[in-house]
Amino acid sequence: MESETGRIEAFSDGVFAVIITILVLELKVPEETGSDFWHGVREQWPHYAAYVVSFLIIGVMWVNHHTIFSHLKRVDRPLLFLNLLVLMVVSVVPYTTNVLAEHLMEEGGSANAAAVLYSGVTVAYALAFLAFWWYVTRVGHLFHEQVDKEGARATRVRFGLGAIAYPLTVLLAFYSAPLTLVAHFLIAIYYAANQIPIPLVVEEERLETASDLRK
């Protein structure tokens, strides 16, 4: 089954938009009033910190997702299901964000357990997105003609770095929940500043290929 990419991209964008909106809704209004109001605001800093980190993570996810689809000319049935798998994992992020924020500064192991849950979901996302990208680049039949399929296939290793970095945050979660949140923030900043370009065939190569086909 083949179809245009517009419909699946619009659906995915809608899901990402709802997920980010839910993140905002998890921020609570301080119960304190009067002179204690700002104290109540400060007491909720774990929620603000978790919100910022999760927003960055989801934002980078959306950017990567958008970048890939801008290089596709069609989708097929397996890709539809892999895309659903990616969205299913991403949609859990608001829940794990709220859990981590609620337990971030608690003692007795609940903070570590919340951090393990948060990191575990990011591991699942990294694996789902890696499977998505491996399928896209395996044959390259869904790409636009301008995409360098061999070059795109060579980016698999860099795309898979998250499958190494995020499991390390799971191990860190057993030691410190706040440090785990900081680690996720740094990983998100890295991916935001170091996007992986999908190489294109240079004009001369495409002209040469077209000439060969006419012979």
Side-chain angles (χ1 to χ4, degrees), residues 31-155:
E31 297 179 355
E32 293 81 359
T33 59
S35 59
D36 294 328
F37 174 77
W38 288 111
H39 174 74
V41 172
R42 289 192 299 271
E43 285 296 308
Q44 293 194 38
W45 73 263
H47 288 272
Y48 308 140
Y51 165 77
V52 170
V53 173
S54 292
F55 189 96
L56 283 174
I57 291 174
I58 295 173
V60 172
M61 292 175 182
W62 176 80
V63 170
N64 286 334
H65 189 274
H66 172 73
T67 300
I68 289 177
F69 271 91
S70 67
H71 290 76
L72 301 182
K73 67 177 180 180
R74 65 173 66 90
V75 296
D76 60 10
R77 189 177 181 84
L79 187 69
L80 289 175
F81 282 107
L82 286 171
N83 188 69
L84 285 176
L85 176 63
V86 169
L87 296 178
M88 181 184 72
V89 178
V90 177
S91 64
V92 184
V93 173
Y95 164 71
T96 57
T97 300
N98 193 40
V99 171
L100 181 60
E102 288 286 346
H103 298 278
L104 186 63
M105 301 308 295
E106 291 183 2
E107 298 179 357
S110 59
N112 300 98
V116 169
L117 177 64
Y118 187 88
S119 295
V121 169
T122 60
V123 171
Y125 170 77
L127 294 177
F129 200 89
L130 182 60
F132 180 93
W133 182 238
W134 273 68
Y135 177 77
V136 170
T137 58
R138 183 177 61 88
V139 177
H141 60 296
L142 305 178
F143 280 128
H144 284 291
E145 289 79 4
Q146 296 90 342
V147 174
D148 180 358
K149 297 178 178 58
E150 287 298 327
R153 200 170 292 120
T155 66

